[in-house]
Amino acid sequence: MKINKTFIEDLLIIEPQLFKDERGFFYESYNKKKLDKKIKIVFVQDNESKSIKGVIRGLHFQAPPFEQTKLVSCVSGNILDVAVDLRTNSKTYGKSFSIELSSENNKQLFIPRGFAHGFQVLSETAIVNYKVDNYYNSKSESGLIWNDKDLSIDWKLNIKPILSKKDLKLMSFKDLKSPF
């Protein structure tokens, strides 16, 4: 397992070691002992979504004390995964990072607490899996509007995006009073 840093502190790309042969492939998608060498984390819940091409989910976060660390992977298809740093004491506050996660590259994105997270489906369908270190709490859920001009996220759109009614009503970055 390779753990690579990004330009945003604590936001990490994890590349599992892939074993391929004529039958297919095998890899450990999660190994607590190996991850604990770099990051001490206890995941308590696994989430999975299936979405069609053009769907954007996010940018979501949970406010303290229910914030969540996430370990995101795309087990079928491919997505553009996006994280926005909302930690007010961070040098990269308000900056975003994006990466393509797919069932081909098997990369994972480790997103610590204090980030908004979202993704866009690039393939016909995609199944996204993510582990979290805190349980979902509906009263603490919030988010940022996906196309906020101040965030300047390049979603690599080539079709009209599909969003939930709830995600279309999320706040702008300017209106955020970051709880982190």
Side-chain angles (χ1 to χ4, degrees), residues 9-10 41-42 44 61-62 64-70 84-87 110-116 132-135 180:
E9 188 175 0
D10 303 322
I41 192 84
V42 176
V44 298
F61 64 89
Q62 286 196 172
F66 300 102
E67 65 268 41
Q68 295 177 324
T69 296
K70 295 179 179 178
V84 179
D85 191 349
L86 302 181
R87 303 169 298 174
F110 178 87
I111 306 169
R113 293 177 177 205
F115 283 75
V132 294
D133 73 336
N134 206 351
Y135 295 104
F180 305 106

Side-chain angles (χ1 to χ4, degrees), residues 149-160:
K149 290 175 180 41
D150 291 326
L151 297 176
S152 300
I153 297 169
D154 179 3
W155 288 94
K156 306 198 184 320
L157 289 171
N158 57 12
I159 62 172
K160 184 177 182 216

Side-chain angles (χ1 to χ4, degrees), residues 20-25:
K20 284 184 171 185
D21 63 22
E22 65 279 353
R23 300 168 297 160
F25 68 85

